Amino acid sequence: MTRFYNPYEGVDRYDGPNLPHWQQGDLAIFVTWRLADSLPSEKLLQLRRERELWMSNNPQPWDISQTDEYRELFSLRMESWLDAGQGSCCLRKTEMRQIVFNGLTHFSGERYVLDSFVIMPNHIHVLFDLVPGYRLKKILYSWKSFTAKQINAKTGQSGPVWADDYWDRLIRSDQHLQACRRYIQSNPVKAKLRAGEYSLYPV
């Protein structure tokens, strides 16, 4: 990976159900998404209200300090809640994680290039480059749609598997890239998971 965010170039921005998403060509991206039942609705409402207030006081575009503050106040806070292991945590089961593992690796080298990822019991972190011509939104839709169908078929259940939205962050530098790699590798340790409760790539 050598393509990093350039603050002097344009960014394609679109709004998801709850969050704005950015893409700048085919540069490196760190993405997190979660199971639909992984966070209580009252915590999500609290986080959404605080985020809306913060954003009203910090209109985009953000500088690096604002971006870091946003991540600390909202993204990292949300990730700490996820690490607490709430919800069904169906990805704790090996066969469920294998569905996600297969879905993520299937088009690597064709639509995107995977750098690393971790499948946690109730959420996923992925670091990757987009292949020119492919859109982040469509890649996430493909991953979530395919794996949701497979997981529901495996469990015999129906209904949403994944939460509607996801969190993404453009990689700014080699230092930022290395930090994301370390975060992925250390996340299972931080969440005090045992072997067999998570999957890492590369293995």
Side-chain angles (χ1 to χ4, degrees), residues 92-103:
R92 199 180 299 272
K93 297 180 180 179
T94 302
E95 61 268 29
M96 299 303 173
R97 293 198 311 277
Q98 191 61 48
I99 290 172
V100 178
F101 192 100
N102 293 343

Side-chain angles (χ1 to χ4, degrees), residues 12-115:
D12 293 328
R13 182 185 183 277
Y14 61 92
D15 293 324
N18 301 303
L19 298 166
H21 303 290
W22 287 14
Q23 181 176 338
Q24 190 180 75
D26 54 348
L27 54 70
I29 305 175
F30 181 78
V31 175
T32 299
W33 75 95
R34 64 182 181 83
L35 292 175
D37 66 352
S38 57
L39 292 178
S41 58
E42 61 272 15
K43 282 193 173 184
L44 288 173
L45 181 59
Q46 172 192 349
L47 195 68
R48 186 175 302 126
R49 286 173 174 169
E50 292 179 14
R51 187 182 68 87
E52 289 173 353
L53 177 60
W54 186 90
M55 291 185 71
S56 69
N57 294 322
N58 294 270
Q60 294 180 350
W62 300 333
D63 59 25
I64 290 177
S65 64
Q66 287 173 303
T67 302
D68 289 341
E69 182 180 3
Y70 178 93
R71 176 160 174 75
E72 183 175 347
L73 288 174
F74 305 109
S75 301
L76 291 179
R77 192 156 139 224
M78 179 272 299
E79 289 168 14
S80 70
W81 291 344
L82 291 174
D83 287 342
Q86 301 182 73
S88 63
C89 290
C90 73
L91 300 177
R92 199 180 299 272
K93 297 180 180 179
T94 302
E95 61 268 29
M96 299 303 173
R97 293 198 311 277
Q98 191 61 48
I99 290 172
V100 178
F101 192 100
N102 293 343
L104 291 173
T105 57
H106 185 72
F107 285 111
S108 183
E110 182 178 340
R111 301 179 181 179
Y112 46 85
V113 179
L114 290 171
D115 181 280

